[in-house]
Amino acid sequence: DTAVSQTPKYLVTQMGNDKSIKCEQNLGHDTMYWYKQDSKKFLKIMFSYNNKELIINETVPNRFSPKSPDKAHLNLHINSLELGDSAVYFCASSQVPKQRGGYTFGSGTRLTVV
Amino acid sequence: AQKITQTQPGMFVQEKEAVTLDCTYDTSDPSYGLFWYKQPSSGEMIFLIYQGSYDQQNATEGRYSLNFQKARKSANLVISASQLGDSAMYFCAMREGQFKETSGSRLTFGEGTQLTVNP
């Protein structure tokens, strides 16, 4: 069973389109995240939700809107896609602070905007 | 200000040898956690090892060990007996507020070190 699953794995779309990436975790974690990995492999947090409540909202264009229908799901909707949005988007979850270990990441969604 | 610094963009090691990947960090929070992740070419992020700021012993997980020098604010990853499958990008990351109940528990990543293991 996949702990954190993201769909789709690959997404190729044209500029101006609207797209969504879905994430689900079956670990019972309270907190979920979206990270963006740019072309230089740098990972940066975008959003974090704790029990469906938005708690981290980095400086991200408001074309990006996360939605958490329940604590096991965190989706990312992107409006009016731009070339610069091309990146790998990772969903992650954690149970802080009880979990001494790491955050569990999904396998990533490679978004290509053409 | 950058909180995690990995000064080695690329490292090369011979198979079966040990290699150290450097990581320094900056925080004023006395409670924090340090993590290492491996990202192979397939792209997934694999958790390797964790060190809490109050841990008395250096963390070890199989062939991975963390050389934690708190006063120097360094948390270097040591991989012993390198294998070809160790070739990957390695990220050091920090979570501030180790014991905080509230989240704000973001992971801040370094820029990564690309490790290549030669046969």
Side-chain angles (χ1 to χ4, degrees), chain A residues 24-47:
Chain A
E24 176 181 3
Q25 55 98 0
N26 62 6
L27 298 166
H29 288 170
D30 289 336
T31 310
M32 296 183 72
Y33 310 81
W34 279 110
Y35 280 84
K36 179 180 179 180
Q37 186 173 41
D38 63 23
S39 57
K40 295 184 178 179
K41 300 283 191 176
F42 188 64
L43 279 146
K44 190 171 182 210
I45 191 164
M46 301 173 69
F47 302 104

Side-chain angles (χ1 to χ4, degrees), chain A residues 33 35 37 55 58 100 103, chain B residues 37 95 103 105-107:
Chain A
Y33 310 81
Y35 280 84
Q37 186 173 41
I55 50 164
E58 288 294 287
R100 273 186 53 83
Y103 296 51
Chain B
Y37 281 85
R95 178 185 70 214
S103 305
S105 53
R106 70 189 69 196
L107 276 182

